[in-house]
Amino acid sequence: LQPDGRIRELEGRPEEEWPADALLGGVFTVFPNVSIANFRTDAGRVYQVAQLMPGPSVLESTTVLTWLAVDEPDEAALSIIDKQVDFLVHVVRDEDYATGFKLQQALSSGAMPEVLFGRNEGTNQRFHRWTDALVGAATPEDTAALFSNAEEWHSPPP
């Protein structure tokens, strides 16, 4: 999977011509445990900020979901936003986390000695390769070289 191609369409255009939707679309990860997603609703743009904190064991964690509306919602807008929030809570709790718990149960059985996750998650693979490269940079010059060659991080994983 490639990132949203709309960002590439901005190359060579003056910044004042960049449409906000092209810049704000998607989910952004703030290392190590925060993600920010945004949604355009009939009530305007709404952001979901997810903070994931480890729990007392490797099988436990706490997720704090916070929603922010760009504009102060009136009663009608708040109803629309509440429906969006209900849907997103359902997706996170009843789909994403439920699937993760089932996977963890299956893995805990020991039936398979190892499992490879994320083969179809190109964006996550790039993120982890980039993080590994940054952590492995021994000097400020190494870090600067990574940023000067950032284009290679846009390509599909090997």
Side-chain angles (χ1 to χ4, degrees):
L1 297 173
Q2 291 294 317
D4 186 335
R6 291 178 296 172
I7 198 80
R8 291 233 183 236
E9 295 170 10
L10 304 179
E11 189 170 3
R13 290 176 59 186
E15 287 185 31
E16 57 273 6
E17 293 179 13
W18 293 1
D21 282 349
L23 301 172
L24 298 174
V27 177
F28 299 90
T29 300
V30 182
F31 183 81
N33 67 327
V34 175
S35 68
I36 303 169
N38 78 87
F39 306 90
R40 177 154 300 285
T41 70
D42 290 338
R45 189 173 297 282
V46 176
Y47 291 87
Q48 174 188 283
V49 179
Q51 298 169 281
L52 289 75
M53 274 73 81
S57 78
V58 297
L59 299 177
E60 300 174 79
S61 65
T62 298
T63 301
V64 177
L65 296 176
T66 304
W67 285 272
L68 306 167
V70 172
D71 301 309
E72 185 171 348
D74 59 21
E75 198 168 315
L78 195 53
S79 175
I80 292 168
I81 291 169
D82 283 344
K83 287 177 184 164
Q84 179 73 29
V85 167
D86 289 345
F87 170 72
L88 294 170
V89 167
H90 165 74
V91 169
V92 171
R93 182 190 57 219
D94 302 332
E95 294 178 11
D96 296 347
Y97 282 11
T99 300
F101 290 138
K102 288 176 186 173
L103 287 169
Q104 186 61 45
Q105 269 185 318
L107 291 171
S108 295
S109 74
M112 297 177 68
E114 76 178 43
V115 177
L116 175 63
F117 284 103
R119 186 170 298 278
N120 65 333
E121 297 284 348
T123 300
N124 288 340
Q125 291 177 33
R126 280 189 291 279
F127 171 78
H128 285 284
R129 285 191 350 220
W130 177 247
T131 301
D132 288 345
L134 287 173
V135 169
T139 67
E141 292 77 18
D142 292 342
T143 302
L146 285 171
F147 280 97
S148 68
N149 295 318
E151 183 65 27
E152 72 181 80
W153 300 100
H154 295 292
S155 62

